Amino acid sequence: REPEKAARAAAAALEKRLADPYMSVTSFPDAEPTTRQALGRLSGYFTMTALVTFLLGAGALASGLTAFLDEELEHAALLRCLGLTGRETLRLYRMVCLFVGLQAGALGALGGWTLSAAALSFLRDNAGLELPVAPGLDAASAAEAVLLAVACAWAVSEAKVRALSRVPPLEILR
C-alpha cells in the first residue's frame, strides 16, 4: 500500500536526522493501537468540524441569497413589464444564484489552499518540521468544492427564484 510505504519512508528519514539515539519516530501504520484510535478520533473531529463549517457557510449563503432575492421583487416585476416571460425570469435569477455559488466555491477552494500552504510554511519556519508534503491545489477537490457550493446555492434559492418568476407585471405599481 502506497500511503503506508510513504509514511514509513518519512519516519525513517526523520529518524536519521535525530541527534538523540534514545528518540525514535513511529509511522501511523506501526503505531500502537491506542495511538491509532486517538488519531482516528482526531480525524473524526476534523471531519465534524468541516461539516459544521459547511453548514455555517450554507446558512450564510442562504441568508445572503434570500436577502438579495427579497429585494428583487420590483426588478422582477419591471422585467416582466418589459417583456420577459416567467420562464426567462426564472432562468435569469437562477443563473445569478448559480454564479454566486460558483464564486463561493472558487473562493472557498482558494481559501482552503491558502490556509494549508500557510500552515505548512508555519510548521517549516517555526517548528522546524520538514514535512514531505508540498501545498498544491488538487483539481478534483477544488471541482468538488465548486460543485457543492453551486448545488447549495441552487438548493437554498430555488423556492425564492420560482416565486420571483411568478411575479405579475402589475406588481411594479404597488
Side-chain angles (χ1 to χ4, degrees), residues 86-109:
R87 175 169 274 166
E88 291 169 334
T89 306
L90 175 76
R91 196 173 315 129
L92 173 71
Y93 282 107
R94 187 179 285 157
M95 291 305 293
V96 167
C97 291
L98 292 179
F99 187 69
V100 168
L102 182 73
Q103 289 176 336
L107 288 173

Side-chain angles (χ1 to χ4, degrees), residues 5 47 57 149 174:
K5 282 181 171 178
T47 302
R174 287 189 188 182

